[in-house]
Amino acid sequence: MKFQGLRKSLHWNKKKTGITVLCVCLLGAGSFYFTRRGTTRRNNTQASFVRTTVLKKTTLNNSISLTGTVESAAVSNVTTNQSLSVKSIPVQVGDWVKAGDIICVLDTEEIDKNIEKTLESLQESADQAKESLASAEENLTWAQSDADSAWNTMAEKETAMNSAKTAYESARSSVDAFQANVDQAQAAYQSLMEAENAALSQLNAAISTGECSGLEDTACTAGTNYQNAKQASNEAKSKVDSAQQDLKTAQSAMNYDALAAAYTSAQTAYNNAVNAWNTARNQRDNWETKVTEAKEALEKASASDALDDLYEKRENCTLRAETAGKVTAINVTVGSMAGNNTTIATIQDTEALKISVTIPEYEIQNVELGMSAKITTDATEGEIEGTLTQISPVASSQNSTGFSAEVTVTTPDSGLYVGINATVEIIQSTVDNVFVVPIDAVGTNDQGEAVVFVKESGSGAEAVFKEVSVTTGEENDYYIEISSSQLSEGMEVRSSADPQQAQVNMTEGNAQDLSNNAGVQFDMGGAMPSGEMPSGGGPGGNGGAPGGRGGNG
C-alpha cells in the first residue's frame, strides 16, 4: 500500500498562513477521536486521536485568495485654477451630493470690478463705432444716389447712340452703291495711270537711242503708244470725278455727313457716361465696404474675448460636483486662499465600490474577466459578492511579479467602507453537491487506484478503517472531490491515507488547550474522554470548501 497522497500533499511552508489555515480547517471540519491512556492527571495523561472527516455533500471552490483595499469606483475631485479666497462651502464631509450640486463658492469681488471696467471701456468703443457707422451709411446713401444717376445717364446715352447708329447705317446703306462706283472708277484709273507711265518710259528710251526725235515724230511707235495711254488715263480720271460727284450728290441728299457726325458724337457721349457710372459705382462699393467694416467694429466693441474670459472666470467661481457621491474630503475653509490647481473637495460614490488587488504572475493564466468573487472584511459579516472586471495586460512596474486587477462589488448595500482592507477570493471553478476530503486523505493502492479509508468500527486509536476505491475530481490546494457508490453522508474518512500521519499523540492538557483554541467542545469529565468527539461537518460549511491558494493584495 502506498500512502503518498494522490495529489501533492500539503506542506507547512506552502503559504505563509498555511499552518493557521490547516489547523482551523482540520479542527473545525474534521471529527476527532480520543482514547485514554495512563492516568487522568493533567499534563501527564497521554492520549491519541485519529483525525477524520465526516462526509457531507458540499461545494468545492477552486479559487485564488487575495487581499486589497476597498475603493470607490467613481471618484471625482472638485478643483479650481484660480487663486481666490473661499467665500462659502455649503456642504460638509459625509454629505451625499448629486452631480451639479454646489460644493464651494469663491469670492468674485475682484472679478466683478474688472468686468465693470471692461464694460465701460467697451461702451466708449461702441459709441465711437456707432458714429463711424452712421457717417459711413450716410456717405453710402449719397454714393448710391450718384451711382443711380450715372446709371440712368448711361442708359439715356446708350439709347441716343443706338438711334444715331440706326440713322447713320440707313444712310450709309443708301450711298454704298455710289461708293462702289467710285471705288471701281479709281481702280481703273490707277491701272491706266500705270500703263501711261510704262509707255512714257518706253518713249524716253526710244528718244535716247535715236529711234524717235520726240512726240512730234509721227513715225515713232513709242510716241503713238504714249499718246494713246495718256488719253485712256484722262478718260478714266473723268469717270472717277463723275463717280465722286454722284457720291457727293447722294450723300448730300441723305444728309450722310451729319448722320455720321451725330453717331460719332453719340458714341463719345455714351463712353463718357460709362466712365462716370464706373466711377460712381466704385465709390458706392467703397462706402459699402466701409459700412461693413463699421458694423464689424461695432460688434467687436460690444463684446470682447477679455470680457468673455472674465464672465467665464466668474462662472467658474461656483464649483460644482461632477459626479454623484459622498463628500469624503474638503481641503479648504471659508476665508482661506484657494491656489491654482487646488483640489477643493473629493467626492466618492460609496455605492459603487471596487477592490484593487494584485494577481501573482503564476496565477495570471488561471483567471479571466467576469469571474465571480467572494469578499470578506473584519468590518462586515458574511460574504459579499463581486466580479473580476479589470486585469492589467502588463505586470505592475512597482511589483514585477504581479498584475494589477480590480474586483467590482456587486452586492447592494454591502456595508463596505472605502479604505478598509478586504480579502477577495476569486472563484476559478465550482462544483456543487459533492463529497470533499483533505488532499492527504486520498492515497493510491497497489493497483494504482485512488482510495480513501472509511471507518468501520472502534474508536480512538483502536478505530478500524477499510479501503474504498474512489474517483477523484476537482481540487484546490486543500481539498479534493471524491465519489464512489460505496460512500454516503455521515461516513467518517481518515484525514490522511497514512495512518501514522493521521494519528496524533498529546497530553490531556495540550488537547484541552487545542480544543479551547480551536473552538471545539471537549467533555473532559475529569479525564481525557475515550469516546468520539462531535465532528465539525464537511469542509466549507455553508460557504463551500476553502479556496486555498493565496496571493498578495
Side-chain angles (χ1 to χ4, degrees):
M1 173 65 65
K2 300 177 182 178
F3 295 113
Q4 299 94 318
L6 180 62
R7 300 284 189 257
K8 186 175 180 180
S9 298
L10 178 68
H11 296 288
W12 298 110
N13 61 353
K14 187 171 183 67
K15 302 282 183 238
K16 292 181 179 179
T17 58
I19 295 176
T20 303
V21 173
L22 182 60
C23 288
V24 172
C25 290
L26 293 178
L27 292 175
S31 174
F32 303 89
Y33 296 85
F34 295 86
T35 180
R36 182 173 59 189
R37 293 182 180 178
T39 68
T40 62
R41 233 172 5 179
R42 182 176 178 83
N43 295 331
N44 291 327
T45 302
Q46 296 293 322
S48 65
F49 64 91
V50 177
R51 293 178 290 113
T52 63
T53 297
V54 177
L55 292 182
K56 179 182 179 182
K57 293 287 186 177
T58 186
T59 298
L60 176 64
N61 290 331
N62 187 18
S63 60
I64 173 176
S65 183
L66 308 168
T67 58
T69 303
V70 178
E71 303 174 4
S72 173
V75 181
S76 64
N77 291 321
V78 179
T79 61
T80 180
N81 58 1
Q82 304 187 81
S83 296
L84 297 170
S85 63
V86 177
K87 184 176 182 180
S88 64
I89 306 173
V91 296
Q92 297 178 347
V93 172
D95 288 351
W96 181 269
V97 297
K98 301 186 297 296
D101 284 355
I102 297 176
I103 304 300
C104 177
V105 178
L106 303 179
D107 192 344
T108 62
E109 181 179 358
E110 189 64 27
I111 296 176
D112 291 337
K113 290 180 180 178
N114 290 333
I115 289 176
E116 184 177 356
K117 292 179 181 179
T118 302
L119 287 173
E120 291 176 356
S121 176
L122 289 176
Q123 186 60 49
E124 292 179 2
S125 299
D127 292 342
Q128 294 177 358
K130 287 179 180 179
E131 291 179 2
S132 298
L133 176 60
S135 175
E137 288 178 337
E138 182 179 2
N139 287 320
L140 174 61
T141 300
W142 286 110
Q144 182 64 56
S145 177
D146 291 343
D148 292 342
S149 177
W151 173 267
N152 293 333
T153 299
M154 182 182 67
E156 291 174 359
K157 297 301 182 182
E158 184 180 16
T159 301
M161 181 188 68
N162 291 334
S163 297
K165 180 181 178 181
T166 300
Y168 166 69
E169 288 180 347
S170 177
R172 188 180 64 180
S173 64
S174 298
V175 299
D176 279 348
F178 295 96
Q179 182 65 52
N181 292 334
V182 171
D183 294 339
Q184 184 179 4
Q186 285 179 336
Y189 172 66
Q190 183 67 31
S191 178
L192 291 173
M193 280 296 298
E194 292 174 358
E196 179 184 349
N197 291 332
L200 179 61
S201 296
Q202 291 176 359
L203 174 61
N204 290 330
I207 293 172
S208 297
T209 60
E211 293 180 10
C212 292
S213 57
L215 289 175
E216 297 83 4
D217 188 355
T218 58
C220 180
T221 303
T224 303
N225 291 338
Y226 171 71
Q227 290 291 344
N228 293 335
K230 185 176 180 180
Q231 182 180 356
S233 65
N234 289 334
E235 292 176 355
K237 177 65 171 64
S238 297
K239 290 181 179 181
V240 169
D241 294 340
S242 177
Q244 287 179 340
Q245 184 60 46
D246 292 341
L247 175 61
K248 289 180 179 180
T249 301
Q251 288 177 340
S252 177
M254 298 297 299
N255 199 22
Y256 178 82
D257 291 338
L259 292 176
Y263 175 50
T264 300
S265 176
Q267 282 183 315
T268 301
Y270 172 72
N271 291 334
N272 292 335
V274 169
N275 292 333
W277 151 246
N278 287 330
T279 300
R281 182 183 61 180
N282 290 336
Q283 290 179 347
R284 181 202 62 189
D285 292 345
N286 288 337
W287 282 113
E288 283 182 344
T289 300
K290 290 181 179 180
V291 167
T292 301
E293 292 173 349
K295 288 181 178 179
E296 292 176 353
L298 180 59
E299 282 185 20
K300 291 181 179 179
S302 301
S304 70
D305 293 340
L307 183 62
D308 292 341
D309 290 343
L310 288 171
Y311 281 138
E312 184 178 0
K313 285 183 179 180
R314 185 169 66 180
E315 178 66 22
N316 292 338
C317 286
T318 301
L319 308 178
R320 301 177 182 273
E322 294 183 0
T323 60
K326 185 173 291 186
V327 179
T328 57
I330 296 178
N331 304 316
V332 294
T333 58
V334 174
S336 66
M337 183 64 68
N340 189 20
N341 294 324
T342 296
T343 298
I344 302 297
T346 300
I347 300 172
Q348 302 187 57
D349 188 349
T350 54
E351 295 180 357
L353 300 176
K354 66 179 182 180
I355 300 173
S356 296
V357 297
T358 299
I359 299 174
E361 62 179 15
Y362 58 82
E363 290 285 5
I364 194 64
Q365 296 296 332
N366 301 322
V367 295
E368 60 183 22
L369 295 177
M371 284 184 169
S372 61
K374 306 292 184 181
I375 304 166
T376 56
T377 71
D378 292 338
T380 55
E381 295 182 359
E383 293 180 334
I384 297 169
E385 299 295 326
T387 302
L388 182 60
T389 54
Q390 180 176 316
I391 303 174
S392 173
V394 296
S396 172
S397 59
Q398 297 179 349
N399 181 6
S400 60
T401 61
F403 293 78
S404 299
E406 291 181 0
V407 173
T408 299
V409 178
T410 57
T411 298
D413 301 324
S414 62
L416 293 173
Y417 295 91
V418 172
I420 66 173
N421 296 324
T423 298
V424 179
E425 182 185 356
I426 299 176
I427 309 301
Q428 296 167 311
S429 62
T430 299
V431 288
D432 296 318
N433 197 33
V434 294
F435 291 134
V436 295
V437 294
I439 290 179
D440 288 345
V442 180
T444 306
N445 62 17
D446 294 336
Q447 289 73 39
E449 299 173 328
V451 296
V452 296
F453 295 89
V454 177
K455 179 181 175 183
E456 280 190 310
S457 61
S459 61
E462 286 76 28
V464 177
F465 295 87
K466 70 174 182 178
E467 176 184 309
V468 175
S469 297
V470 296
T471 300
T472 59
E474 295 290 332
E475 66 175 278
N476 57 33
D477 281 354
Y478 303 109
Y479 290 93
I480 185 169
E481 172 191 355
I482 61 173
S483 60
S484 172
S485 60
Q486 302 180 55
L487 299 179
S488 61
E489 288 202 32
M491 284 184 172
E492 296 180 28
V493 176
R494 196 166 65 202
S495 297
S496 176
D498 186 342
Q500 298 300 322
Q501 292 183 4
Q503 183 169 320
V504 179
N505 297 320
M506 61 170 55
T507 65
E508 176 185 347
N510 290 339
Q512 184 66 47
D513 291 340
L514 179 61
S515 172
N516 291 337
N517 290 334
V520 180
Q521 300 298 318
F522 288 89
D523 184 6
M524 301 302 295
M528 183 68 71
S530 60
E532 301 173 0
M533 290 183 58
S535 64
N542 293 333
R549 289 199 296 279
N552 295 325

